[in-house]
Amino acid sequence: METPAKIEGTAAPGRNNRAFEFLRDIPKQLLIAGKWAPAQAGGTFHTINPATEEVLTTVAEGDARDVDAAVKAAREAFENGPWSHITPHQRAKYLLKIAELVQKHADELAHVITLDNGKPISEARNEVARTAEVFIYYAGWTTKICGETNPSDPSLFNYTLREPLGVCGQIIPWNGPLSMVAWKVAPALACGNTVVLKPAEQTPLPALAFGKLTLEAGLPAGVVNIITGFGPTAGAAIARHRDIDKVAFTGSTSVGREILQAAASNLKRVSLELGGKSPNIIFDDANLELAVAGSAMGIFRNQGQVCCAGSRIFIQQKIYDEFAERLTQVASGITLGDPLQPGTTMGPLVSDEQYERVLGYLNVGQQEGACVRAGGERGPQSRGYFVAPTVFADVKSDMRIAREEIFGPVASLIPFRDETDAVLQANDTIYGLAAAVWTRNVNRALALARRLRAGTVWINCYGILDPISPFGGYKQSGFGRELGKDSIELYTQPKSVFIKFQK
Ligand code: NAI
Ligand code: MG
């Protein structure tokens, strides 16, 4: 059941009422076989605006039965539907059309992201732009997915085909509720697969808005199916389903482990993009101004709810105090508040659960003896899941705040002596998603790029993600790479064909 009154009640003069109409018109149901439908069991759940703690609206709560119906639709579309025999050129056109519709509705989509997730509207706009870019990038790939010819016996001809996997289950988190759709769906479709997508229960709306756009784009029925619902029910049903060929997951390391086990049911392909505790290393020869600005962005963007957030900031001893002082100033200058206001630079955390979790770590850090230089407490707002941007100094590598993923706006500043010490401390983690190095010494930069055990290394920058380049984890940050050419490999498999010449 929808509660449009709530949504309309949020609309106000000076706010973008067109966006509220767009939000009101998003179907709050499951998308299966090109049609919107309620959950078979009739369940619904609320999605909350984290800035106000008000119910935004109510969406269908899908479970295993709905996942099953979606898988059947996806299977039918893959085996028999128009999708099974269209040309790569036609697939490209669908992806480009989706990108065009995302761009056309950029403003409304950004509002939906901000209302559902809480990130500042400027960051939501950026997320929408990046989403379109990913679709455009993979539209280009559709016509470039090639096999090989291999030298063999002169009486034989061998070639390979790169074929889609089939039905792909995709389970995404709430921190990039639209960009995560793009990272998963765009390459899967480019390769000719069909999809059953489950958005996070905290942020179902951007994915549902996306579903509406796929219908507007004329995508054949069953190619993209969307099941809103909870992890242990709808999500787990995807992970264990025997007619899903691949599962792609982004989220916590503990759930990643469960998905891997469930996927063993039919040995489905698995790719996992999990947590991180990424080191951001500042040498004393770095351009300090740029390093401070980049490091602040690296830990405070999206309220720090970023898998590759630079949460462990290692600073060479000589500049430790100055860096700490400057980062503290930047943190104190952040505008925490209504994420729909254009001047806001930090919004609320996504949910009550995340809020409690991060506040818990603020206590842990103080109990462990770290020194609060900025923040360290909830925001001054009377409602909403606001946490002040926090800088902990005097952090030691063995403290929990330096080892566990907090997923909030919390920077831990740790001193180091030299290159060897920096690498040793940086790599001392179960994670390996990303790392950054700030230095003017090119030899050192290149040496560290090799020695840091992480899927992405940024030199004199932080957090750059671009569809041209693969992203994913070392160690317990997961496996499989998304974006770039690697994602094409993730969503296809080679088939070898031998032809014997007849005399
Ligand atoms: P989560 O891993 O529980 O949720 C991510 C997605 O997985 C959601 O769609 C959820 O419904 C689904 N899910 C949950 N349990 C499942 C199960 N048993 N089977 C299949 N799907 C399941 O993450 P959560 O609880 O939202 O956040 C907890 C922590 O995880 C965060 O504090 C953060 O440390 C980490 N996290 C990491 C993310 C990343 O980008 N790598 C994104 C979100 C969370
Ligand atoms: Mg969870």
Side-chain angles (χ1 to χ4, degrees):
M1 198 187 70
E2 289 185 30
T3 52
K6 281 285 184 194
I7 296 167
E8 281 160 3
T10 324
R15 290 229 163 140
N16 187 328
N17 289 333
R18 193 159 54 95
F20 285 94
E21 282 166 27
F22 180 84
L23 191 148
R24 188 192 57 207
D25 294 341
I26 295 171
K28 316 296 186 309
Q29 297 190 316
L30 313 176
L31 178 58
I32 299 174
K35 295 198 172 58
W36 297 99
Q40 289 180 43
T44 59
F45 65 99
H46 292 320
T47 183
I48 307 287
N49 176 350
T52 62
E53 299 180 43
E54 281 170 357
V55 174
L56 257 180
T57 187
T58 304
V59 303
E61 184 194 341
D63 64 18
R65 271 195 289 166
D66 305 297
V67 166
D68 201 43
V71 172
K72 286 199 172 74
R75 176 60 60 193
E76 175 61 20
F78 181 73
E79 305 282 353
N80 304 314
W83 194 247
S84 64
H85 51 256
I86 69 168
T87 68
H89 291 288
Q90 288 170 315
R91 285 209 302 274
K93 280 187 191 160
Y94 283 120
L95 293 184
L96 290 174
K97 184 70 192 171
I98 290 171
E100 187 191 316
L101 288 170
V102 167
Q103 286 166 331
K104 180 176 160 198
H105 295 291
D107 201 37
E108 298 92 295
L109 286 167
H111 275 76
V112 171
I113 292 173
T114 291
L115 285 169
D116 217 7
N117 162 283
K119 69 177 65 180
I121 188 74
S122 56
E123 290 183 23
R125 282 187 213 287
N126 189 42
E127 179 172 346
V128 176
R130 300 283 84 80
T131 297
E133 255 172 34
V134 172
F135 276 94
I136 293 166
Y137 174 79
Y138 282 107
W141 264 110
T142 58
T143 49
K144 292 154 200 85
I145 302 169
C146 299
E148 296 166 338
T149 61
N150 301 306
S152 184
D153 186 301
S155 71
L156 287 172
F157 177 62
N158 174 261
Y159 68 95
T160 62
L161 294 167
R162 213 153 237 293
E163 297 196 325
L165 299 173
V167 177
C168 299
Q170 305 186 316
I171 303 171
I172 60 171
W174 39 262
N175 53 345
L178 191 64
S179 59
M180 286 296 108
V181 173
W183 285 35
K184 298 278 183 286
V185 173
L189 298 194
C191 297
N193 300 280
T194 58
V195 162
V196 176
L197 174 77
K198 194 199 86 62
E201 54 271 33
Q202 296 84 351
T203 56
L205 296 174
L208 291 173
F210 172 81
K212 188 165 182 263
L213 298 185
T214 65
L215 297 186
E216 253 180 84
L219 198 68
V223 173
V224 170
N225 305 275
I226 302 176
I227 303 292
T228 47
F230 292 87
T233 48
I238 289 175
R240 67 166 182 263
H241 201 288
R242 288 177 175 269
D243 199 32
I244 291 182
D245 299 291
K246 181 205 160 61
V247 60
F249 170 76
T250 299
S252 61
T253 296
S254 60
V255 172
R257 214 169 262 126
E258 287 179 42
I259 285 179
L260 192 56
Q261 279 165 355
S265 65
N266 66 331
L267 293 174
K268 58 176 70 66
R269 276 61 182 150
V270 181
S271 53
L272 302 172
E273 200 260 90
L274 309 173
K277 193 74 191 174
S278 297
N280 178 20
I281 306 169
I282 327 288
F283 283 95
D284 61 16
D285 67 343
N287 178 327
L288 208 55
E289 207 176 315
L290 295 182
V292 170
S295 304
M297 191 274 294
I299 183 59
F300 295 136
R301 190 181 53 171
N302 204 3
Q303 295 76 240
Q305 302 165 130
V306 180
C307 50
C308 55
S311 48
R312 291 185 296 150
I313 306 183
F314 293 101
I315 306 148
Q316 202 160 15
Q317 276 159 350
K318 201 170 103 192
I319 57 163
Y320 186 89
D321 290 334
E322 188 181 356
F323 185 96
E325 184 53 40
R326 288 207 199 187
L327 189 73
T328 300
Q329 270 172 26
V330 175
S332 309
I334 284 173
T335 308
L336 181 69
D338 178 357
L340 285 174
Q341 291 299 324
T344 296
T345 45
M346 188 179 284
L349 300 184
V350 71
S351 65
D352 190 22
E353 190 186 349
Q354 200 58 29
Y355 177 68
E356 293 300 335
R357 182 187 156 101
V358 173
L359 289 179
Y361 275 108
L362 298 184
N363 275 333
V364 167
Q366 291 172 65
Q367 280 159 17
E368 285 179 312
C371 164
V372 175
R373 299 288 289 266
E377 58 191 5
R378 66 191 66 213
Q381 290 77 6
S382 57
R383 285 190 314 171
Y385 308 126
F386 293 93
V387 172
T390 296
V391 176
F392 274 121
D394 305 332
V395 177
K396 304 213 166 43
S397 261
D398 59 357
M399 290 181 181
R400 278 182 64 200
I401 57 166
R403 305 201 73 77
E404 298 172 16
E405 182 174 53
I406 298 177
F407 229 60
V410 184
S412 291
L413 309 192
I414 308 168
F416 72 89
R417 277 191 313 278
D418 53 19
E419 227 173 278
T420 305
D421 185 31
V423 171
L424 213 66
Q425 292 199 65
N427 285 340
D428 180 19
T429 167
I430 59 164
Y431 296 114
L433 198 51
V437 180
W438 299 79
T439 177
R440 284 193 171 91
N441 180 337
V442 69
N443 295 318
R444 169 188 281 159
L446 295 177
L448 260 69
R450 277 176 179 271
R451 292 175 69 191
L452 291 167
R453 306 269 299 145
T456 296
V457 177
W458 293 293
I459 309 284
N460 293 329
C461 56
Y462 203 96
I464 295 178
L465 298 172
D466 187 322
I468 58 142
S469 194
F471 181 79
Y474 277 41
K475 301 194 261 183
Q476 292 185 42
S477 291
F479 51 80
R481 294 289 182 275
E482 295 185 305
L483 301 182
K485 186 185 181 182
D486 292 75
S487 217
I488 299 296
E489 277 157 27
L490 219 54
Y491 285 100
T492 55
Q493 57 193 338
K495 174 186 277 173
S496 173
V497 181
F498 281 98
I499 303 174
K500 176 102 177 155
F501 295 120
Q502 308 278 320
K503 289 250 165 56

